[in-house]
Amino acid sequence: MAPSDCGGQALKRRFGAGVDNLSRNVDRINQLNVFPVPDGDTGINLYHTVRRAYREIERCDSDDVSVIAGRFAYGALMGARGNSGTILSQLLKGFADGLGEASTISAERLAVACNAAVAQSYTAVSAPTEGTILTVAREAAEDLQRGDRGSESLRKMLERLVATARASLANTPDLLPILREADVVDAGGMGLLCFLEGMQNGTSRTQVTSFQPTASLPAPAVHAESYGYDVQFLMIGADLDIDEARRELEQIGWSVIVASAGDTIKVHIHARNPAIPLDFAIKSGAALDDVVVENMELQVQQRQSEGLALADRGDTEPSGVSVVAVVEGEGLRAVYQSLRCSAIVPGGGGHNPAAEDIVAAINETPSERVIVLPNDSNIALAARQAADLVAGKQASVVATENVLQGIGAMLAFGDALDAEADFDATATKMRAAADDIRSVEITRASRSTSFGGLQINQNDFIALVDGTIRAASPDLDDVAVEALAALQTSGAELATIYYGAGVSARETDQLIRRLTKSIGGLEFEAVYGGQPLYPFLISVE
């Protein structure tokens, strides 16, 4: 081995340092999410992808780089989460393939492997988008092809790789307008840069530190073990300060909505103890009126019982085709089970499953032919990768972009089973049904920003209409009305509202009454979904 070459254990240490450096930048990467939604999780997805990869080499003492790189790539393929994590796993696979059976890495071999990595990643993505992690990887690898590699040390080559990746990342907003509008660089590209910087600088670490993100994602406002109380009341008084009331109430509970009209402040809040917000209102000098207190814990228990009963009526008999779906929320899981979904992988926005989780679910189904519903555009690549990794079964992905499209696909699946349609025809019917579903997803803005001409303030309610932010307001009802108006519901007949964890049936009924008055020609129905982060999901068909 030449003095500047890298052996297997040295590569292992560099991989470990890359994982370690990525772990320290998870929060920074998460904050680059283009949409101001509370499930921006690129940093978490990338970290878990490479952390799973490192598990494959943690106890490997081989000094052969082809062994270390091959095992690391396999771990990344299985642990891939989200689109960026899946693309990174493909980069690592291509890198390993580019090394071939080499026992060491020279500067020249590094250039060959990096360009093989880029070729593999572009092949794995059906419609590559420039201005992303793909661009950063490609431009960095291409730069290694220039110059006299035979006279350049491996250390210098790594320095060039990182420097070019850094410059490419800075240029991503010029290639992708959505990044420029959000005033951020590409999050996946940033994650790749952090990994490469760690590899460049770290050669002495032998272990990867464990990691817990400090500010990665807002926790769901409520938890199954303690849903609390839904409290609503009016505060009446001439000298009330609405801003102070909002600040104080946000320290008391969650899902706080405060609105004023004249001398009256309308308050909605979820709290562990309903007496505390009422006590605050009285101590502020306000007169109280129209007080409503509902025990959400009892409501959830009742809905869970009803949901389990519904799920028990699902078809559990093995059939020619089975469905695996990624679903978050106990109510939504019950809906999918009632529609004859064979296996459910927990996950969704802010909680992306690994490719190996989907592989395991496919293998557990009773059929040799399986259709996968990722139900999130950020899970689709990992789902396709899982389908490719499965041995002994035929797996196909119907790329549903949200859980509502997935429900439409499941309804078509039932019809196809009853008609004894073949595998390909079933998948085609499910794709068509998913495309027919129009969707509104309502959540809270994770930060203040401007997007698509909208001025969005942190904690505003925002509505994504078919995946694009179309409305923002402090008032949830206003956002829902504006979103459905933007959806152009002419010709539609039914809107189904799936209400999430911590949302009461009474709140949902109030929203339906407002929507019924504002949106003509639609029949509304409410279903408990139990999903976190998104208080309301609305499908229109």
Side-chain angles (χ1 to χ4, degrees):
M1 181 171 69
S4 63
D5 286 4
C6 172
Q9 288 303 297
L11 179 61
K12 174 182 173 178
R13 289 191 292 271
R14 287 189 182 276
F15 278 152
V19 176
D20 210 28
N21 192 55
L22 182 56
S23 77
R24 290 192 291 269
N25 287 277
V26 164
D27 296 334
R28 179 185 175 197
I29 297 166
N30 285 342
Q31 290 165 10
L32 296 175
N33 192 43
V34 171
F35 283 0
V37 293
D39 51 4
D41 52 4
T42 300
I44 289 177
N45 289 336
L46 287 167
Y47 169 72
H48 282 297
T49 299
V50 294
R51 184 66 184 90
R52 173 65 178 84
Y54 192 80
R55 277 172 43 197
E56 290 294 320
I57 63 172
E58 201 160 13
R59 293 178 176 82
C60 181
D61 59 3
S62 173
D63 202 32
D64 189 324
V65 294
S66 64
V67 173
I68 296 297
R71 290 190 181 185
F72 193 78
Y74 172 77
L77 291 171
M78 295 300 289
R81 298 181 189 231
N83 290 342
S84 292
T86 305
I87 292 172
L88 179 56
S89 74
Q90 290 292 325
L91 284 166
L92 291 167
K93 179 182 185 299
F95 182 81
D97 291 345
L99 290 176
E101 298 180 359
S103 58
T104 63
I105 301 178
S106 63
E108 185 170 2
R109 177 59 66 177
L110 176 67
V112 171
C114 286
N115 280 276
V118 170
Q120 173 66 33
S121 64
Y122 270 81
T123 300
V125 179
S126 58
T129 300
E130 297 301 334
T132 64
I133 183 175
L134 289 168
T135 305
V136 175
R138 177 178 55 77
E139 293 184 343
E142 287 174 349
D143 185 64
L144 294 187
Q145 297 282 51
R146 304 184 183 100
D148 183 8
R149 298 189 302 275
S151 63
E152 195 166 10
S153 69
L154 185 62
R155 179 178 63 82
K156 286 293 185 181
M157 291 281 281
L158 284 171
E159 289 176 359
R160 280 179 55 194
L161 186 73
V162 169
T164 308
R166 188 179 295 117
S168 179
L169 176 66
N171 191 51
T172 54
D174 292 331
L175 299 176
L176 204 55
I178 196 171
L179 297 176
R180 185 166 59 251
E181 182 179 8
D183 195 26
V184 295
V185 295
D186 179 65
M190 172 64 81
L192 175 62
L193 176 62
C194 290
F195 181 69
L196 293 176
E197 285 177 334
M199 286 190 65
Q200 176 202 352
N201 297 323
T203 58
S204 60
R205 297 194 68 93
T206 57
Q207 291 184 330
V208 175
T209 58
S210 60
F211 167 74
Q212 291 294 330
T214 56
S216 54
L217 289 174
V222 293
H223 304 279
E225 66 271 15
S226 182
Y227 283 87
Y229 293 83
D230 175 48
V231 186
Q232 301 180 49
F233 55 87
L234 300 179
M235 297 172 58
I236 304 171
D239 300 319
L240 299 177
D241 186 331
I242 185 173
D243 292 329
E244 180 182 355
R246 182 181 291 109
R247 284 194 298 271
E248 293 294 331
L249 288 165
E250 285 176 346
Q251 299 303 310
I252 293 171
W254 62 95
S255 295
V256 176
I257 302 174
V258 179
S260 64
D263 293 341
T264 302
I265 295 177
K266 182 178 181 180
V267 174
H268 166 276
I269 185 172
H270 293 167
R272 305 267 187 261
N273 183 345
I276 296 176
L278 295 174
D279 183 61
F280 157 76
I282 292 171
K283 288 181 177 177
S284 71
L288 290 184
D289 192 17
D290 197 15
V291 177
V292 177
V293 177
E294 295 182 328
N295 187 328
M296 293 189 294
E297 180 73 26
L298 295 179
Q299 291 179 349
V300 169
Q301 290 175 0
Q302 179 181 0
R303 289 192 298 256
Q304 287 175 332
S305 175
E306 293 171 350
L308 289 173
L310 180 63
D312 288 342
R313 293 197 295 270
D315 180 14
T316 59
E317 291 298 317
S319 63
V321 182
S322 292
V323 176
V324 168
V326 181
V327 184
E328 194 82 293
E330 66 268 21
L332 285 168
R333 286 195 292 269
V335 170
Y336 273 75
Q337 289 168 327
S338 73
L339 295 174
R340 297 189 280 190
C341 183
S342 295
I344 291 175
V345 180
H351 176 206
N352 294 156
E356 63 186 340
D357 298 329
I358 301 174
V359 169
I362 293 172
N363 286 332
E364 289 171 3
T365 60
S367 305
E368 297 302 313
R369 294 170 295 173
V370 182
I371 293 171
V372 181
L373 303 179
N375 289 340
D376 191 316
S377 57
N378 197 38
I379 299 175
L381 275 182
R384 291 191 180 100
Q385 186 154 292
D388 291 340
L389 291 169
V390 170
K393 290 195 177 190
Q394 181 183 3
S396 178
V397 176
V398 173
T400 45
E401 295 185 357
N402 56 55
V403 73
L404 305 177
Q405 286 191 347
I407 291 173
M410 287 306 306
L411 290 167
F413 172 72
D415 292 341
L417 282 187
D418 293 341
E420 298 183 351
D422 64 23
F423 181 71
D424 291 337
T426 298
T428 298
K429 289 177 181 293
M430 293 174 72
R431 287 189 181 93
D435 290 342
D436 286 342
I437 298 296
R438 308 294 306 281
S439 65
V440 174
E441 302 163 90
I442 298 177
T443 186
R444 281 186 180 271
S446 58
R447 68 176 190 277
S448 297
T449 187
S450 59
F451 189 90
L454 290 172
Q455 183 57 48
I456 301 171
N457 298 315
Q458 187 175 13
N459 291 324
D460 272 357
F461 288 100
I462 57 176
L464 286 80
V465 177
D466 291 336
T468 300
I469 299 176
R470 298 293 298 273
S473 170
D475 186 275
L476 186 149
D477 288 2
D478 287 348
V479 162
V481 170
E482 187 176 347
L484 282 177
L487 197 61
Q488 298 179 349
T489 58
S490 176
E493 298 178 352
L494 176 65
T496 304
I497 300 180
Y498 297 88
Y499 54 105
V503 178
S504 70
R506 185 175 185 273
E507 292 171 274
T508 308
D509 289 341
Q510 288 176 338
L511 176 62
I512 288 176
R513 285 196 293 271
R514 170 76 184 276
L515 292 174
T516 301
K517 292 179 181 178
S518 303
I519 307 293
L522 274 181
E523 179 183 348
F524 291 89
E525 67 176 18
V527 177
Y528 174 63
Q531 68 275 1
L533 301 181
Y534 288 78
F536 292 107
L537 301 173
I538 307 174
S539 69
V540 177
E541 53 190 299

